[in-house]
Amino acid sequence: MNRTKGDEEEYWNSSKFKAFTFDDEDDELSQLKESKRAVNSLRDFVDDDDDDDLERVSWTGEPVGSRTRPGSFQSLSDALSDTPAKSYAPELGRPKGEYRDYSNDWSPSDTVRRLRKGKVLIFLKRTLSKEILFRELEVRQIALRHLIHFLKEIGDQKMLLDLFRFLDRTEELALSHYREHLNIQDPDKRKEFLKTCIGLPFSAEDSAHIQDHYTLLERQIIIEANDRHLESAGQTEIFRKHPRKASILNMPLVTTLFYSCFYHYTEAEGTFSSPVNLKKTFKIPDKQYVLTALAARAKLRAWNDVDALFTTKNWLGYTKKRAPIGFHRVVEILHKNNAPVQILQEYVNLVEDVDTKLNLATKFKCHDVVIDSCRDLKDRQQLLAYRSKVDKGSAEEEKIDALLSSSQIRWKN
Amino acid sequence: MAFPHRPDAPELPDFSMLKRLARDQLIYLLEQVTSWKKDLFIEADLMSPLDRIANVSILKRNQHEVDKLYKVENKPALSSSEQLCFLVRPRIKNMRYIASLVNADKVAGRTRKYKVIFSPQKFYACEMVLEEEGIYGDVSCDEWAFSLLPLDVDLLSMELPEFFRDYFLEGDQRWINTVAQALHLLSTLYGPFPNCYGIGRCAKMAYELWRKLEEEEDGETKGRRPEIGHIFLLDRDVDFVTALCSQVVYEGLVDDTFRIKCGSVDFGPEVTSSDKSLKVLLNAEDKVFHEIRNEHFSNVFGFLSQKARNLQAQYDRRRGMDIKQMKNFVSQELKGLKQEHRLLSLHIGACESIMKKKTKQDFQELIKTEHALLEGFNIRESTSYIEEHIDRQVSPIESLRLMCLLSITENGLIPKDYRSLKTQYLQSYGPEHLLTFSNLRRAGLLTEQGPGDTLTAVESKVSKLVTDKAAGKITDAFSSLAKRSNFRAISKKLNLVCGTGMVRGVGGFIPLWSTFLGGNVLERRSWQGLDEVVRLLNCGDFAFTDMTKEDKASSESLRLILVVFLGGCTFSEISALRFLGREKGKREFIFLTTAVTNSARLMEAMSEVKA
């Protein structure tokens, strides 16, 4: 600042922006008037030339000494017109320059220059009251983002939520609140906390997700307590044969479903731990359900259960196999779990696409399927080539020979 | 084969100076603390960079009196030294750690000397926290302005992976100043840069801040001959697609599989074929690595096998040798052969690991889907593939990556798909990822199409834009282009997707940068001719030539281009640009990145839930 003391005196005496003190705290009305005037007369604190001085802030990029445009109170006065009668008591610091136009956001370069080490923002947070600060930031998107990030880092959850509330950013408010659950380790406490998240201003879809999260944890706590009890009692076969490696708490839904299909497959719909109950409660699509149940039963080598998953009875009483996930997937999962060849073969046969079927059959050595496929494709060469892969003198070899010498088949090659 | 060093290629500046500078600065700071022995606490993230500059013995040398080294971590520190020195990044949690230590001392009635060295700089927020914790008066603070680590002869890294999340998600500009300082240092050491270009809002800000710094300290570089003719600043979010595609060059795959950190990688027992892990430095000095790093993976194995055979043949020569020849062989060649053999077996081991992982992942199917997304056909199939990927709980990061690719190439997911995939993701990988989705949406990586944003709608708007230059229509179209990626339009315009099979760096797809850096912008010294593309990208751009500096630049230096990636770059991109440089016009690229990254790191940065 290049002003001398004399200049400042002159300024104070002639300026239409009255200075004042905060000592007079008489009645409410005068307080309100004072407050309004205070904010209107908010001095800016900076001098552009003096960047490194911590204590000073400039609101705009305008050079020192420029005249203020009259209509420029717009944003602030408008904002103030519906302010409730609160008394502000901000520390304003020594008034220095003229009132500046608050309606401009800081340009990026200005912002960066001034916020270079985050100095300015911190000063603001400390010395101004929250409301004034929030109003100023409302029109300064960049500074706002910085403050939000800072509050997150510092862990000042309260101020962060206040800020979002003030800005009417309801969804971010809800998400910030929800985020806190990650810091709560105790499952019951976390569950209680999640309950407080339901009903927050999430979007419609997210509200449903939050509800599901709560319900899931609630169920998991019950299942975990129950199963731990069963396991320690040592009477249940499934737990004895396959002791649990980890708790089910806080696991995703699909993992919980897998667990349920593994340990509680046959339970009736009424129990919390039954797979069917989970499916119904969380509206798990058929595809996902079948995939998960298959993986679990295959791991237990429960081939009959696998069979039942895909068997449907049509109205004539005939059974038919169907899969919402594609039989090639089924085959892969079965193979991964070392299913016996007969089982694999049965499902390879159900693969619709002939090429895929042949590939899988060859890969998994399902001889009969390969042979039959070659016959269906009338591919003599491939059948011949495959002959060398089957055991000498086996039934498969005989079958191949029979086909090769058959006069019924019109081979294409 | 490697990109052989062509005799006519311009010589790269010597960046080892940066290491020496950083080391000397650190030593100076350490010596400033009084002469008694001190214990040094180093933040985990700084250990690897520090390793590349100054190893333990240098730090412990008598003048600097560093007694013990500790890592800053959650456990309480048991140090008996009278002086504690902390070398940390300016993070709040580090301040809390230091405060807990100092306050514990206070409670125990113990007073020691504490010094905090912030790298690369101190943020005021840190001071504030120290004040809050009541220890501000007890510690002395310093800054170690180390922000440029040479990882290779042509690669500099700022080792600031947090840049990506801080800027592109949180909108925090704190590191822009750091970038400007780094650029300033570079121009001080290697001469001014006559030509500056950039694309992206962050690039523009960094450039302007840098210019101000230069003006303030004018005179330092006046009259110097520039060593590097051009500098190009790029924002990561101008091209997310390239960073999200699967990497197919060897170096990229090693990074994806093993995570390269500060230019070195930890190979576990399955790679080293022993029971020990080995930390290997990967740069141009590893002769084997140098030859395969930029190669498409399908070529690498064959190449290594051939090399192994050659090596065996060399060994076998000793059979026919007499004593004298043998002596010669042992003294001159054997060591080299042994080293080559060691490196060879390491890389073959690494290849095997990579291949194993790829087969497990069903890589072929994955690449097919990616390609379909890039080209824009079979979108329904691709979406089903992603859905299945999620259902099978294959990998939370990979599933996210694929969804983001779909979103960016299609200008957002259709609402039905967005809802359905999101629900399935939360069911497969955890409900808390609700927060991850919110982050991805904010960063523009995974969005939902609004009405009127369907690809056909946008494409028709865009096609009008590029053929009809009537001002009114342009403004109309602009308002809806907002933050859309317009990937399909741009890629069609520039012919970026070029069939299957490897082209340069990224399988079947040319990174956007290659087009910018391929010559036009550099030759014309402006963005002219690429206006439409720049408009589609809808972000800032600039091009500035300082003729006074350009006049002083030698033709050699004008063939050197420094590319600055703000937000990170992948090895695939580096590889593609290395290839580009040598193929077209004998240019040489030097890379400066805020951090080396890959698709997994980008996704992890957006994930609110730490795996």
Side-chain angles (χ1 to χ4, degrees):
Chain A
M1 274 295 273
N2 298 328
R3 290 175 202 239
T4 62
K5 189 137 196 336
D7 285 350
E8 289 209 77
E9 298 288 291
E10 199 195 329
Y11 169 81
W12 281 116
N13 294 333
S14 65
S15 162
K16 59 176 170 166
F17 308 118
K18 301 263 175 252
F20 66 100
T21 66
F22 288 99
D23 302 329
D24 330 324
E25 279 166 86
D26 299 338
D27 57 314
E28 269 187 68
L29 182 58
S30 64
Q31 268 184 7
L32 177 57
K33 282 199 192 141
E34 294 296 318
S35 312
K36 272 200 163 168
R37 234 183 300 150
V39 185
N40 281 346
S41 321
L42 259 180
R43 308 302 174 203
D44 58 314
F45 306 91
V46 138
D47 196 308
D48 275 17
D49 316 323
D50 213 332
D51 236 12
D52 281 335
D53 189 329
L54 261 182
E55 304 302 299
R56 302 195 268 177
V57 169
S58 151
W59 292 98
T60 71
E62 291 169 50
V64 176
S66 66
R67 286 250 144 250
T68 314
R69 281 164 273 132
S72 59
F73 293 90
Q74 205 71 36
S75 57
L76 215 43
S77 338
D78 277 356
L80 281 175
S81 57
D82 18 67
T83 318
K86 280 197 194 135
S87 53
Y88 301 114
E91 269 178 73
L92 291 176
R94 282 188 351 271
K96 282 227 169 198
E98 293 175 53
Y99 175 87
R100 296 281 171 84
D101 180 359
Y102 289 119
S103 58
N104 302 327
D105 198 346
W106 294 329
S107 75
S109 52
D110 270 333
T111 311
V112 174
R113 184 158 59 90
R114 294 189 181 91
L115 294 182
R116 196 192 307 197
K117 292 173 190 181
K119 290 173 184 170
V120 161
L121 221 40
I122 311 317
F123 173 70
L124 289 181
K125 180 184 181 239
R126 271 241 219 79
T127 60
L128 296 185
S129 93
K130 234 167 21 178
E131 275 72 26
I132 300 183
L133 173 65
F134 288 177
R135 282 191 202 291
E136 291 311 312
L137 288 173
E138 197 168 15
V139 295
R140 287 177 172 71
Q141 289 305 308
I142 295 170
L144 188 59
R145 279 202 293 263
H146 284 178
L147 181 62
I148 292 173
H149 192 210
F150 172 69
L151 291 174
K152 276 192 207 165
E153 279 190 311
I154 241 198
D156 192 342
Q157 187 70 351
K158 187 176 175 307
M159 182 131 174
L160 186 64
L161 294 179
D162 280 346
L163 181 58
F164 285 139
R165 216 169 278 126
F166 177 84
L167 294 167
D168 212 24
R169 307 223 306 216
T170 51
E171 208 173 331
E172 277 179 81
L173 173 67
L175 286 167
S176 274
H177 181 81
Y178 173 66
R179 186 180 287 109
E180 279 295 293
H181 85 270
L182 294 170
N183 297 332
I184 305 171
Q185 302 311 323
D186 175 75
D188 286 293
K189 293 208 176 88
R190 187 183 275 203
K191 184 191 76 168
E192 287 312 308
F193 181 83
L194 286 174
K195 200 166 186 183
T196 67
C197 297
I198 303 172
L200 286 178
F202 289 105
S203 69
E205 281 98 46
D206 283 352
S207 291
H209 293 310
I210 300 288
Q211 174 72 59
D212 279 350
H213 189 179
Y214 168 73
T215 313
L216 181 62
L217 183 56
E218 189 188 44
R219 296 286 169 95
Q220 286 172 339
I221 292 174
I222 296 170
I223 297 173
E224 178 69 21
N226 216 29
D227 285 1
R228 210 180 300 147
H229 180 74
L230 284 175
E231 212 172 10
S232 55
Q235 302 292 347
T236 324
E237 192 186 336
I238 185 75
F239 288 111
R240 279 208 322 263
K241 265 182 150 176
H242 302 272
R244 303 183 320 145
K245 294 204 194 90
S247 134
I248 195 63
L249 294 171
N250 298 312
M251 289 289 130
L253 176 60
V254 170
T255 312
T256 312
L257 179 62
F258 179 91
Y259 175 95
S260 156
C261 289
F262 196 90
Y263 289 108
H264 300 278
Y265 197 55
T266 50
E267 274 170 38
E269 195 179 314
T271 66
F272 278 144
S273 44
S274 86
V276 189
N277 191 312
L278 283 175
K279 180 179 202 287
K280 235 179 156 183
T281 311
F282 296 101
K283 301 192 188 45
I284 301 174
D286 280 339
K287 245 187 180 181
Q288 177 73 78
Y289 183 83
V290 167
L291 191 65
T292 313
L294 169 65
R297 298 331 282 171
K299 191 155 185 196
L300 286 167
R301 307 181 71 77
W303 311 123
N304 288 331
D305 289 333
V306 170
D307 206 63
L309 262 178
F310 301 112
T311 310
T312 53
K313 264 205 169 86
N314 69 5
W315 65 279
L316 285 172
Y318 290 121
T319 58
K320 185 178 140 89
K321 283 227 166 44
R322 286 177 52 193
I325 61 172
F327 280 109
H328 62 285
R329 266 297 162 242
V330 178
V331 170
E332 273 168 30
I333 294 172
L334 290 172
H335 174 76
K336 213 165 81 166
N337 288 287
N338 302 311
V341 181
Q342 310 94 278
I343 306 274
L344 271 180
Q345 190 138 269
E346 187 186 337
Y347 288 94
V348 173
N349 236 340
L350 293 166
V351 176
E352 280 176 17
D353 176 61
V354 188
D355 285 313
T356 319
K357 188 198 280 198
L358 194 50
N359 279 337
L360 287 172
T362 317
K363 193 168 156 189
F364 300 134
K365 299 195 180 25
C366 303
H367 303 312
D368 281 330
V369 182
V370 178
I371 297 168
D372 289 341
S373 301
C374 288
R375 179 199 64 205
D376 292 339
L377 288 170
K378 302 198 192 326
D379 193 341
R380 192 173 203 276
Q381 295 299 336
Q382 192 153 16
L383 189 55
L384 205 54
Y386 199 72
R387 192 175 182 277
S388 53
K389 295 203 180 123
V390 301
D391 296 330
K392 287 252 174 295
S394 62
E396 288 83 21
E397 199 186 38
E398 272 183 48
K399 190 174 176 186
I400 294 178
D401 287 336
L403 282 172
L404 286 172
S405 53
S406 161
S407 52
Q408 305 281 9
I409 304 173
R410 300 222 338 234
W411 301 104
K412 69 178 183 191
N413 56 11
Chain B
M1 324 86 239
F3 301 138
H5 186 80
R6 299 157 52 155
D8 59 352
E11 211 177 292
L12 296 169
D14 174 25
F15 292 120
S16 58
M17 209 192 317
L18 293 167
K19 281 203 244 188
R20 290 198 294 275
L21 204 62
R23 190 182 59 216
D24 292 346
Q25 282 173 342
L26 179 61
I27 289 174
Y28 172 74
L29 287 171
L30 289 173
E31 285 180 346
Q32 293 239 289
V33 187
T34 63
S35 57
W36 285 107
K37 279 202 182 298
K38 50 189 156 306
D39 281 352
L40 182 61
F41 290 75
I42 309 176
E43 176 178 348
D45 283 348
L46 284 174
M47 297 199 102
S48 301
L50 191 59
D51 236 345
R52 297 291 303 265
I53 296 176
N55 52 37
V56 176
S57 60
I58 292 182
L59 290 177
K60 280 190 162 187
R61 231 184 276 161
N62 276 337
Q63 303 100 285
H64 341 304
E65 296 281 357
V66 173
D67 191 17
K68 290 202 186 58
L69 290 171
Y70 294 91
K71 196 157 88 167
V72 168
E73 48 190 358
N74 273 333
K75 303 197 290 255
L78 303 157
S79 156
S80 57
S81 176
E82 281 311 304
Q83 298 189 110
L84 303 183
C85 205
F86 300 91
L87 183 60
V88 292
R89 287 248 186 265
R91 293 191 181 124
I92 305 291
K93 66 173 175 149
N94 290 333
M95 300 303 103
R96 302 245 189 255
Y97 172 84
I98 295 170
S100 65
L101 218 138
V102 175
N103 282 326
D105 277 354
K106 282 187 180 170
V107 163
R110 187 175 182 181
T111 43
R112 297 196 260 196
K113 274 193 138 68
Y114 313 95
K115 185 188 186 82
V116 184
I117 301 176
F118 292 92
S119 173
Q121 61 189 98
K122 177 179 65 178
F123 289 141
Y124 185 56
C126 293
E127 284 185 334
M128 205 195 112
V129 172
L130 291 176
E131 257 187 65
E132 230 175 56
E133 297 275 355
I135 64 162
Y136 185 66
D138 304 298
V139 307
S140 69
C141 297
D142 255 321
E143 288 182 331
W144 181 39
F146 164 51
S147 59
L148 291 167
L149 174 66
L151 291 180
D152 209 330
V153 294
D154 59 356
L155 176 60
L156 303 171
S157 167
M158 294 180 68
E159 291 303 304
L160 288 174
E162 53 263 67
F163 187 104
F164 178 67
R165 186 184 161 112
D166 283 348
Y167 179 77
F168 290 104
L169 177 62
E170 307 284 4
D172 192 322
Q173 297 166 358
R174 61 176 64 174
W175 299 113
I176 298 185
N177 177 269
T178 320
V179 170
Q181 302 270 15
L183 292 175
H184 182 54
L185 177 63
L186 282 177
S187 82
T188 314
L189 293 176
Y190 302 102
F193 299 98
N195 299 293
C196 306
Y197 321 87
I199 185 150
R201 292 185 186 94
C202 186
K204 200 150 190 200
M205 280 193 263
Y207 172 73
E208 284 169 1
L209 195 58
W210 172 39
R211 281 263 74 85
K212 286 209 168 75
L213 276 179
E214 300 266 309
E215 280 161 27
E216 280 167 20
E217 304 189 31
D218 197 31
E220 281 201 32
T221 57
K222 254 203 173 75
R224 276 197 56 185
R225 291 193 66 119
E227 277 183 59
I228 302 170
H230 309 265
I231 179 169
F232 220 111
L233 288 97
L234 308 165
D235 278 13
R236 181 70 266 169
D237 70 347
V238 170
D239 177 11
F240 274 134
V241 172
T242 307
L244 290 176
C245 285
S246 285
Q247 303 201 68
V248 293
V249 292
Y250 182 65
E251 191 166 14
L253 280 167
V254 171
D255 189 26
D256 277 351
T257 315
F258 302 103
R259 292 288 169 107
I260 300 178
K261 204 168 166 197
C262 271
S264 63
V265 67
D266 278 324
F267 283 140
E270 78 280 4
V271 174
T272 62
S273 307
S274 70
D275 54 0
K276 284 208 266 286
S277 292
L278 195 65
K279 190 166 183 179
V280 180
L281 198 62
L282 292 175
N283 59 17
E285 282 170 18
D286 175 337
K287 300 254 168 1
V288 176
F289 180 69
H290 183 63
E291 295 204 61
I292 54 175
R293 69 194 305 184
N294 295 306
E295 282 298 302
H296 192 284
F297 190 62
S298 55
N299 298 334
V300 171
F301 208 66
F303 177 82
L304 289 176
S305 310
Q306 182 62 49
K307 229 175 159 59
R309 281 197 288 275
N310 292 347
L311 197 63
Q312 191 60 48
Q314 299 246 46
Y315 268 145
D316 290 342
R317 272 170 47 229
R318 71 190 192 284
R319 300 250 171 81
M321 285 181 184
D322 61 26
I323 301 283
K324 187 160 177 237
Q325 287 172 321
M326 184 67 107
K327 251 181 144 172
N328 199 36
F329 179 75
V330 169
S331 65
Q332 311 276 24
E333 297 184 51
L334 190 61
K335 186 168 168 205
L337 286 177
K338 272 197 157 154
Q339 198 194 44
E340 206 177 324
H341 182 216
R342 198 174 60 89
L343 291 172
L344 209 55
S345 58
L346 273 176
H347 288 294
I348 290 177
C351 278
E352 281 171 352
S353 284
I354 295 171
M355 285 212 288
K356 228 189 284 183
K357 188 171 168 204
K358 297 264 157 253
T359 9
K360 202 169 138 198
Q361 269 179 355
D362 198 4
F363 197 54
Q364 295 304 328
E365 192 70 33
L366 185 70
I367 292 285
K368 214 177 85 180
T369 306
E370 271 184 39
H371 217 83
L373 288 174
L374 294 175
E375 296 220 28
F377 59 72
N378 278 348
I379 296 300
R380 286 319 317 159
E381 254 182 61
S382 303
T383 313
S384 295
Y385 176 85
I386 297 174
E387 191 179 34
E388 217 183 282
H389 195 271
I390 296 172
D391 284 349
R392 285 160 60 205
Q393 294 180 301
V394 177
S395 149
I397 293 295
E398 275 293 299
S399 294
L400 272 183
R401 178 181 79 86
L402 289 168
M403 281 194 288
C404 289
L405 253 178
L406 174 63
S407 172
I408 298 173
T409 53
E410 288 289 298
N411 267 358
L413 302 182
I414 63 178
K416 187 167 79 85
D417 284 343
Y418 184 86
R419 274 197 300 273
S420 151
L421 288 177
K422 177 172 170 178
T423 305
Q424 283 173 68
Y425 191 95
L426 298 186
Q427 289 184 342
S428 279
Y429 299 115
E432 58 274 13
H433 282 287
L434 189 79
L435 299 163
T436 307
F437 272 80
S438 157
N439 288 344
L440 288 170
R441 171 179 270 194
R442 264 197 299 153
L445 281 161
L446 182 52
T447 56
E448 197 177 339
Q449 283 174 10
D453 272 344
T454 58
L455 202 58
T456 36
V458 176
E459 268 188 335
S460 67
K461 280 185 208 148
V462 161
S463 60
K464 282 207 190 105
L465 174 66
V466 298
T467 56
D468 183 344
K469 301 211 162 117
K473 289 215 170 94
I474 291 177
T475 343
D476 269 339
F478 272 158
S479 53
S480 73
L481 288 180
K483 228 190 171 239
R484 290 305 167 205
S485 75
N486 298 314
F487 169 78
R488 211 39 64 58
I490 295 171
S491 104
K492 277 198 182 121
K493 191 124 192 53
L494 296 174
N495 228 356
L496 296 179
V497 185
C498 36
T500 51
M502 152 79 168
V503 179
R504 286 148 209 143
V506 188
F509 176 68
I510 303 177
L512 195 57
W513 314 137
S514 301
T515 315
F516 297 157
L517 297 162
N520 288 342
V521 182
L522 298 171
E523 242 118 68
R524 294 185 198 160
R525 306 281 198 269
S526 82
W527 288 93
Q528 203 189 6
L530 281 173
D531 303 343
E532 287 152 15
V533 174
V534 171
R535 274 205 298 264
L536 285 171
L537 290 170
N538 198 26
C539 53
D541 71 275
F542 60 89
F544 179 74
T545 299
D546 184 336
M547 286 316 294
T548 58
K549 294 174 185 158
E550 169 124 359
D551 288 338
K552 294 210 169 56
S554 65
S555 63
E556 272 272 305
S557 71
L558 285 174
R559 287 158 63 198
L560 281 176
I561 301 132
L562 175 65
V563 186
V564 183
F565 290 96
L566 300 165
C569 70
T570 63
F571 281 115
S572 287
E573 288 173 299
I574 295 173
S575 170
L577 288 172
R578 278 186 185 134
F579 179 89
L580 179 74
R582 294 165 210 207
E583 186 201 42
K584 286 194 175 200
K586 304 163 193 174
R587 290 203 180 95
E588 195 91 14
F589 289 104
I590 304 165
F591 308 99
L592 166 58
T593 179
T594 50
V596 173
T597 189
N598 58 16
S599 58
R601 291 193 189 94
L602 290 178
M603 293 295 96
E604 281 162 13
M606 292 289 134
S607 171
E608 201 66 31
V609 185
K610 299 307 160 200

